[in-house]
């Protein structure tokens, strides 16, 4: 069926080639025409159905009677106006007739702020031919302009000439293109030179920009058009189509979106989303930090550009040094600081004579508004990160930090949302809990609250911002609610619960420094997993009896070159000193897999988890292994020193490593042998534990890797996260096999993977034959308290039953019954 299009506005109709934006001129958004408008009303060019008005109201997509999709994009770069100057006259899904008003445009302010008013009208779906009836002429709204006719369709990327291609796909990702998929798209495009644009809801977004992709508000099941221009246009499109269509490890079904509630609900509570568990009672403290003022007028384009570059570079350098949970946040911030759209918007403002600070703030706020306009909770959670880099860059530019209002100890802090960089000073002030009106459980401040053990409720709605300072409230993050006016009975009950919890934690902390002995007298060593010397002192204070796993790779990650022997020696010596003479198990370098190191080049591996990681890398670089052995031997006093090898599969690897260790000892003139153990992280090592134990001094289960390899479930892939359960009976059988092997040769068996920190799992592990648990330091007091209640015969009986279970769920049910 042929559909005739009529001019949507009065003006001059011109060919797309004359549109000063390659996205349209090169037909990445499909074929069509453009209008340079003289009137303010955009009208329907034919009878159609409105697919979507962009949240920022600068464009509209229509479905025509022959199923073609038509994009009317008012002006160029108008998404950045965040809806200012546009009024929608129709709603999504509405049927419209030829000439019916669609959008009202306030031409003067839009013309003043946008790159151009030229309005491209393009067919974004594949398989349609456009025949122009009028071009390079003035038209009045309603004049016939073009005809759209279907042609044979082709789902693959369509060549649009030598260097351009485009295609249309549907997004299978449950939560659409939120921050992580956006970052992966940007990364996937790095090897290509083509300019790539993604259009959704009639909004084109630069596919190399995380903020642009977030602002596009791409959701589950949206149809998106991808256009590319450049010598490798088709290959670039193929790369991202494959990435998106394969789902990037996201769930295939749309997840429930938690929307902020507007007010106090019928039960008298304000409901939100739990971001970090816990219960707290205290006075409200409304946290409203101000902005540092910036002057609008700049002092010249070169000076302002240089100032902005210097501030961004300083932040990029600071982001490089972060480790642990901070490293993930730093990586997200680094991507935003480097984002080409943000930078482009700021440079555009500097070019108009604005100061660097004014331009950076303007760029960030424009994008934040566009993201907020999507209404998508997951995307909106990233606004705090944008605001954080705004604050940090402006602090560097002005040399001034806005003074932070400091809450009283014990307060329940309330904010619209919390920036990650505000978190540390607030936590240090001793707040009891946090409740935010916006934000979400995956926002970075939420992750920090969870790791600091502070209860936090997010997305509680603007009602919380109305609560008065000093008002006593109960924050029950476990139940996702804040009680703004608790009665006396509630206050008493909560106070009692908190007192019980405090007493239990205090009792556990007081007993934490004692050795861990089970109720029947069996000795179990509880030691800590560490990454550096600072953690060692904290672990000892929490009751660690030594270190069961020092992850030495942290010394090698996030830097430009490898630490030399002396730097390594000093680092290992500092950890040993922090442990005050207690045993220290140093694991040799475990890089590769999910821990790549830029300056130690690995050949490309399709499947790095099964590649040259751990001991395989070390044996391929015996020079580095020998250097690490020498640094350990020189840095750690002999009485404390044990060495452990990661990712071993058989005694051959152990023997090869031991030869290098013996040579290192000889080089340093050390006669006494050093205990050398292996991690049981592969099913191979578990099956061959007896043969390994003949030559190894001890074995330690790396349950994180052992689980992923036993269950064929990538430990870093959220799509299979529920399957990566170390209590799966298949994993327990491998641990039992390792225990049997260790026993045969009188070696001890420990566990240093994540499951060692779970008090619920302790009876099974002990029942299987484990005598050492190496846990995360914070888990140690509670772990010791639980183990002290157990007896070995009970643990053995429980382990037998767990081995007979068919699924991880059955094992967990068994444990809940036993707890
Ligand atoms: C493990 O795999 O369980 C382990 C302790 O090693 P990592 O987590 O460092 O890979
Ligand atoms: Mg491991």
């Amino acid at each position: 069926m042929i559909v005739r299009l009529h001019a949507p506005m009065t003006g001059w109709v011109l060919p797309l080639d004359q549109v000063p934006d390659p996205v349209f001129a090169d037909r990445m958004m499909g074929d069509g025409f453009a209008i340079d408008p003289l009137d303010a009303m955009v009208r329907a060019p034919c009878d159609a159905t409105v697919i979507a008005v962009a949240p920022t109201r600068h464009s509209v997509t229509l479905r025509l009677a022959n199923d073609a999709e038509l994009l009317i994009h008012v002006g160029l770069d108008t998404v950045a106006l965040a809806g200012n100057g546009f009024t929608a006259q129709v709603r999504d899904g509405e049927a419209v007739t030829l000439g019916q008003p669609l959008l009202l445009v306030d031409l003067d302010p839009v013309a003043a702020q946008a790159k151009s008013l030229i309005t491209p009208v393009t067919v974004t779906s594949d398989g349609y031919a456009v025949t122009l009836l009028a071009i390079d002429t003035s038209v009045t709204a309603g004049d016939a302009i073009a005809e759209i006719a279907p042609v044979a369709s082709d789902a693959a990327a369509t060549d649009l000439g030598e260097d351009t291609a485009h295609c249309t796909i549907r997004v299978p990702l449950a939560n659409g293109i939120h921050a992580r998929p956006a970052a992966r798209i940007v990364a996937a495009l790095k090897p290509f030179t083509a300019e790539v644009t993604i259009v959704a809801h009639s909004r084109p977004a630069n596919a190399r920009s995380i903020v642009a992709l977030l602002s596009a508000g791409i959701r589950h099941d949206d149809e998106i058009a991808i256009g590319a221009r450049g010598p490798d246009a088709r290959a670039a499109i193929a790369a991202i189509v494959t990435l998106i269509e394969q789902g990037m490890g996201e769930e295939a079904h749309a997840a429930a979106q938690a929307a902020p509630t507007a007010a106090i609900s019928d039960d008298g509570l304000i409901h939100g989303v739990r971001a970090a568990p816990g219960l707290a009672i205290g006075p409200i403290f409304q946290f409203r930090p101000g902005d540092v003022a910036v002057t609008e007028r700049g002092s010249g384009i070169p000076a302002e550009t240089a100032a902005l570059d210097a501030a961004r570079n300083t932040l990029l350098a600071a982001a490089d040094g972060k480790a642990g949970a901070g490293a993930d946040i730093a990586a997200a911030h680094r991507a935003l600081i480097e984002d080409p759209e943000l930078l482009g918007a700021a440079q555009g403002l500097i070019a108009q004579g604005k100061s660097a600070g004014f331009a950076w703030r303007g760029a960030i706020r424009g994008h934040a508004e566009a993201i907020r306009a999507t209404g998508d909770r997951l995307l909106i959670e990233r606004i705090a990160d944008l605001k954080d880099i705004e604050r940090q860059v402006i602090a560097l530019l002005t040399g001034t930090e806005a003074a932070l209002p400091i809450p009283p100890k014990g307060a329940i802090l309330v904010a619209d949302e919390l920036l990650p960089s505000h978190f540390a000073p607030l936590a240090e002030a001793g707040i009891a809990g946090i409740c935010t009106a916006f934000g979400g459980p995956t926002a970075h401040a939420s992750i920090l609250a969870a790791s600091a053990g502070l209860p936090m409720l997010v997305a509680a709605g603007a009602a919380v911002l109305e609560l008065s300072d000093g008002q006593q409230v109960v924050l029950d993050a476990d139940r996702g609610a804040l009680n703004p006016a608790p009665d006396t009975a509630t206050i008493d009950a909560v106070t009692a619960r908190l007192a019980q919890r405090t007493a239990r934690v205090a009792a556990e902390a007081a007993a934490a420094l004692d050795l861990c002995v089970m109720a029947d007298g069996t000795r179990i060593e509880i030691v800590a997993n560490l990454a550096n010397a600072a953690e060692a002192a904290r672990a000892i204070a929490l009751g660690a009896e030594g270190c069961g796993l020092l992850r030495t790779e942290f010394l090698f990650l996030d830097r430009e070159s490898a630490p030399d022997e002396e730097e390594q020696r000093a680092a290992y010596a500092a950890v040993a000193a922090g442990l005050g003479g207690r045993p220290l198990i140093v694991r040799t370098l475990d890089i590769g897999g999910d821990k790549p190191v830029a300056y130690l080049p690995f050949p490309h591996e399709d499947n790095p988890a099964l590649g040259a990681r751990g001991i395989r890398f070390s044996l391929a670089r015996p020079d580095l292994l020998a250097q690490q052995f020498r640094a350990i031997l020189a840095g750690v006093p002999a009485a404390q020193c044990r060495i452990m090898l990661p990712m071993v599969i058989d005694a051959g690897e152990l023997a090869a490593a031991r030869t290098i260790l013996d040579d290192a000892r000889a080089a340093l003139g050390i006669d006494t042998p050093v205990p050398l153990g292996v991690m049981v992280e592969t099913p191979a090592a578990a099956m061959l534990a007896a043969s390994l134990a003949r030559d190894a001094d001890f074995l330690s289960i790396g349950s994180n890797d052992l689980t992923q390899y036993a269950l064929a479930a990538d430990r870093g892939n959220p799509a299979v996260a529920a399957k990566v359960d170390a209590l799966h009976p298949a994993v327990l059988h491998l641990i039992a096999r390792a225990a049997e092997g260790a026993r045969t040769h009188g070696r001890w068996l420990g566990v240093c993977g994540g499951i060692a920190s779970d008090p619920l799992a302790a009876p099974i592990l002990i029942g299987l034959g484990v005598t050492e648990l190496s846990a995360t330091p914070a888990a140690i007091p509670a772990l010791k308290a639980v183990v002290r209640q157990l007896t070995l015969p009970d643990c053995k009986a429980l382990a037998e039953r767990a081995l007979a279970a068919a699924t991880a769920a059955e094992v967990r049910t068994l444990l809940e019954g036993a707890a």
Side-chain angles (χ1 to χ4, degrees):
M1 174 186 189
I2 298 177
V3 170
R4 177 164 289 196
L5 297 186
H6 300 258
M9 305 165 98
T10 295
W12 185 266
V13 56
L14 63 156
L16 285 179
D17 316 74
Q18 288 177 24
V19 175
D21 182 337
V23 168
F24 293 105
D26 293 333
R27 292 170 173 73
M28 289 184 217
M29 298 306 112
D31 202 1
F33 56 89
I35 301 246
D36 200 354
L38 292 173
D39 70 337
M41 187 61 80
V42 182
R43 295 171 186 281
C46 59
D47 294 350
T49 307
V50 176
I51 298 173
V53 176
T56 38
R57 302 182 295 280
H58 67 294
S59 64
V60 56
T61 34
L62 304 174
R63 185 167 309 284
L64 312 188
N66 60 3
D67 252 5
E69 280 184 14
L70 191 77
L71 163 69
I72 305 178
H73 190 280
V74 183
L76 301 177
D77 289 353
T78 35
V79 65
L81 303 186
N84 292 323
F86 298 96
T87 315
Q89 309 290 306
V90 284
R91 279 200 293 267
D92 295 359
E94 191 174 330
V96 292
T97 53
L98 171 64
Q100 183 174 332
L102 300 175
L103 298 172
L104 180 62
V105 187
D106 200 352
L107 286 181
D108 288 344
V110 171
Q113 294 174 65
K115 181 167 155 190
S116 162
L117 274 181
I118 288 179
T119 297
V121 179
T122 62
V123 179
T124 54
S125 28
D126 293 330
Y128 293 86
V130 179
T131 308
L132 297 177
L133 306 176
I135 203 73
D136 277 330
T137 181
S138 62
V139 286
T140 304
D143 287 354
I145 271 194
E147 283 179 348
I148 314 294
V151 292
S153 71
D154 174 8
T158 313
D159 257 331
L160 296 172
E162 209 183 317
D163 284 346
T164 54
H166 91 277
C167 80
T168 306
I169 57 167
R170 208 161 269 289
V171 175
L173 284 68
N175 292 309
I177 308 248
H178 60 92
R180 188 152 35 86
R184 291 192 60 183
I185 290 171
V186 170
L189 285 175
K190 285 232 159 95
F192 303 101
T193 55
E195 280 175 33
V196 183
T197 302
I198 294 184
V199 180
H201 312 297
S202 66
R203 275 171 292 164
N206 178 352
R208 292 183 185 278
S209 158
I210 293 177
V211 292
L213 289 173
L214 296 186
S215 314
I218 301 169
R219 306 216 175 117
H220 173 70
D221 220 25
D222 278 353
E223 192 172 82
I224 58 173
I226 308 172
R229 186 176 68 116
D232 47 11
R234 285 180 71 90
I237 286 198
I240 51 177
V241 166
T242 312
L243 192 64
I244 295 172
E245 284 188 333
Q246 287 178 350
M248 300 190 208
E250 308 271 315
E251 290 280 345
H253 305 293
Q257 300 265 312
T261 49
I264 299 172
S265 54
D266 291 346
D267 56 7
L269 303 177
I270 296 175
H271 294 277
V273 176
R274 178 177 99 164
L279 176 70
I281 187 164
I284 289 285
F285 178 81
Q286 293 285 355
F287 179 68
R288 298 188 182 112
D291 283 335
V292 169
V294 287
T295 49
E296 182 172 347
R297 186 188 293 270
S299 46
I301 297 172
E304 298 299 337
T305 306
L308 182 59
D309 286 349
R312 288 173 55 250
N313 287 336
T314 306
L315 276 191
L316 285 173
D320 282 345
K322 297 273 163 57
D328 290 346
I329 299 171
H333 284 193
R334 191 184 302 127
L336 293 175
I337 298 164
E338 289 178 325
D339 193 278
E341 290 280 306
L342 266 187
L343 188 57
Q347 282 166 341
L349 288 166
I350 290 177
Q352 290 169 27
K354 309 295 184 198
S355 73
F358 187 89
W360 186 246
R361 179 168 284 164
I364 297 250
R365 301 232 167 146
H367 281 93
E369 274 319 303
I371 291 173
R372 207 181 283 290
T374 64
D376 185 302
R377 177 179 61 78
L378 276 172
L379 302 186
I380 289 171
E381 287 180 24
R382 302 276 75 88
I383 291 178
D385 292 323
L386 274 172
K387 284 193 184 164
D388 218 357
I389 59 162
E390 171 194 323
R391 195 189 63 72
Q392 293 179 40
V393 165
I394 287 178
L396 286 168
L397 285 168
T398 58
T400 330
E401 280 268 16
L404 278 192
I406 295 300
K409 202 165 165 14
I412 306 289
L413 185 120
V414 173
D416 52 359
E417 59 199 338
L418 209 56
L419 307 189
S421 68
H422 283 158
F423 185 82
L426 295 173
E428 268 165 33
I431 53 174
I434 303 169
C435 177
T436 63
F438 308 108
T442 64
H444 284 131
S446 306
I447 294 166
L448 292 173
S451 63
L454 262 183
M456 181 168 178
L457 193 66
V458 295
V464 291
L465 302 174
E466 305 300 320
L467 300 174
S468 311
D469 274 327
Q471 183 177 339
Q472 194 77 359
V473 298
V474 170
L475 176 72
D476 192 344
D478 294 338
R479 296 191 185 134
L482 181 135
N483 186 339
D487 56 21
T488 322
T490 309
I491 292 180
D492 289 350
V494 170
T495 312
R497 266 169 72 197
L498 283 172
Q500 271 170 10
R501 186 180 299 188
T502 312
R504 197 192 67 228
V505 170
E508 287 172 1
L513 297 183
D514 300 338
L515 291 183
C516 185
V517 180
M518 292 170 71
D520 63 343
T522 308
R523 171 87 170 94
I524 299 292
E525 275 180 79
I526 308 283
V527 288
N529 290 351
L530 301 176
N532 53 46
E535 286 184 1
R538 181 165 168 259
I540 296 305
L542 287 163
E545 299 167 27
C547 168
L549 168 65
L550 175 66
R551 289 183 161 104
T552 57
E553 55 276 7
F554 283 109
L555 189 58
F556 290 72
L557 301 176
D558 290 331
R559 50 191 289 163
E560 304 284 312
S561 59
D564 63 15
E565 195 166 322
E566 172 49 24
E567 185 181 346
Q568 287 190 53
R569 187 205 61 74
Y572 306 145
V575 178
L579 291 172
R582 295 172 183 81
L584 166 56
I585 299 181
V586 185
R587 175 173 77 181
T588 57
L589 195 54
D590 182 23
I591 55 172
D594 59 342
K595 301 171 205 161
V597 172
Y599 54 84
L600 292 174
F602 278 78
H604 169 78
E605 294 181 320
D606 279 341
N607 195 344
L610 302 183
R613 57 169 296 200
I615 190 66
R616 301 171 185 182
F617 173 81
S618 291
L619 291 177
R621 289 293 308 265
D623 53 326
L624 293 181
L625 183 60
Q627 183 191 50
Q628 186 172 31
F629 279 145
R630 288 194 302 271
I632 297 169
L633 293 169
V636 184
Q640 281 179 276
C641 190
R642 291 119 179 82
I643 298 178
M644 184 162 75
L645 307 171
M647 288 296 297
V648 168
I649 57 166
D650 60 34
E653 290 170 337
L654 171 60
R658 194 182 280 282
T659 306
I660 299 171
L661 177 59
D662 289 344
D663 289 349
R665 270 201 301 128
L668 296 179
I670 299 174
D671 295 333
T672 347
V674 180
L676 180 65
V678 294
M679 293 186 74
V680 178
E681 299 188 279
T682 61
M687 297 307 289
L688 297 181
S691 128
L692 280 166
R694 193 182 48 227
D695 300 333
D697 294 298
F698 60 90
L699 307 183
S700 182
I701 306 281
S703 57
N704 307 333
D705 277 314
L706 184 62
T707 307
Q708 82 160 344
Y709 294 127
L711 303 180
D714 181 350
R715 64 193 264 192
N717 181 345
V720 294
K723 290 206 175 296
V724 190
D725 190 339
L727 289 178
H728 191 285
V731 182
L732 299 183
H733 277 277
L734 289 170
I735 298 176
R737 174 90 182 196
E740 191 188 307
R743 239 185 337 262
T744 312
H745 294 281
R747 311 297 184 200
W748 63 262
L749 175 71
V751 178
C752 60
I755 197 68
S757 302
D758 183 353
L760 208 60
I764 292 191
L765 298 175
I766 293 169
L768 290 173
V770 167
T771 57
E772 181 238 44
L773 294 169
S774 190
T776 181
I780 288 175
L783 190 59
K784 281 190 166 179
V786 166
V787 172
R788 287 192 182 112
Q789 307 293 319
L790 306 171
T791 67
L792 194 55
D794 286 351
C795 290
K796 283 186 173 165
L798 189 68
E800 278 307 318
R801 292 173 65 201
L803 287 173
T807 62
E810 271 185 33
V811 176
R812 291 202 173 267
T813 310
L814 190 66
L815 285 177
E816 275 154 27

